[in-house]
Each structure stands twice: as structure tokens, then as C-alpha cells.
Amino acid sequence: LDPAKFTTLWNNGTSHRGGIGIVLKTSFLANFNPISADDWVTIVPGFVSILRLAGPLGSLHIVVVYLPTGVSGDAHDRIEAIKKNAQHLAPPISTNSHFRGF
């Protein structure tokens, strides 16, 4: 990837599990204030992060999630990751759109 055209953010996992990341066009990010260290929030290391963008045209939060899969013991980890993520989402009353469930 051309670093002049793309910005990458990472939330590293452990030696047993990889982690997550996001690649964004730098031209897209130019619509918002410059990203600070506080804008890329690690919620669950290696599994859940939120990029909080804000600027003169409004705000956008991008949630990056990789939920644990596999054996039944991971079900508890999935539920905990979902709960922790929910604690960091903006209340629906304060957003222009919100998750409607599935």
C-alpha cells in the first residue's frame, strides 16, 4: 500500500491470535480532523476497536470487530466482547443512524 494514499490502524492480538486492522484512504480521512492517539480506541485487544472521527461536517465512528470463534469456551469471550463494544457506542438518541439489530 502507498502510505501517501492510505492510512492503516492496528489492534494487535497475541502470539496465538492475530488481531484486527483497518485501511482507509487518506483522502477520505481529510474530511475529518487529524487522527490523534485517542481516536483509535482499543476495546478488546486483538478483537474490537473503534475509530472516532470528527470534523466540521460531522462525526463518524467506525467499529472494527473480530469475534472469537471456534470451541464453546469462546462463546463467553464473544459475549464479553459484544458487551464491551456496546459500552463504547454512542447512544442512538445522539446519532443520525443506529444499529437496528439482526
Side-chain angles (χ1 to χ4, degrees):
L1 294 172
D2 181 350
K5 293 183 181 178
F6 297 95
T7 299
T8 59
L9 300 166
W10 304 100
N11 174 346
N12 297 322
T14 66
S15 60
H16 295 17
R17 297 188 184 210
I20 58 173
I22 187 170
V23 178
L24 299 160
K25 282 186 139 184
T26 304
S27 60
F28 168 75
L29 292 175
N31 293 298
F32 303 95
N33 299 331
I35 297 173
S36 74
D38 293 335
D39 295 330
W40 178 240
V41 180
T42 297
I43 296 171
V44 179
F47 291 99
V48 183
S49 286
I50 294 178
L51 176 59
R52 295 181 174 153
L53 300 171
L57 300 177
S59 299
L60 175 67
H61 292 185
I62 301 173
V63 181
V64 182
V65 178
Y66 173 75
L67 294 177
T69 61
V71 297
S72 61
D74 285 337
H76 178 268
D77 293 337
R78 279 191 296 275
I79 292 167
E80 288 304 307
I82 291 168
K83 287 180 182 178
K84 287 180 182 179
N85 184 42
Q87 294 170 354
H88 288 81
L89 297 176
I93 194 76
S94 68
T95 61
N96 291 331
S97 63
H98 62 278
F99 178 72
R100 298 185 191 279
F102 51 87

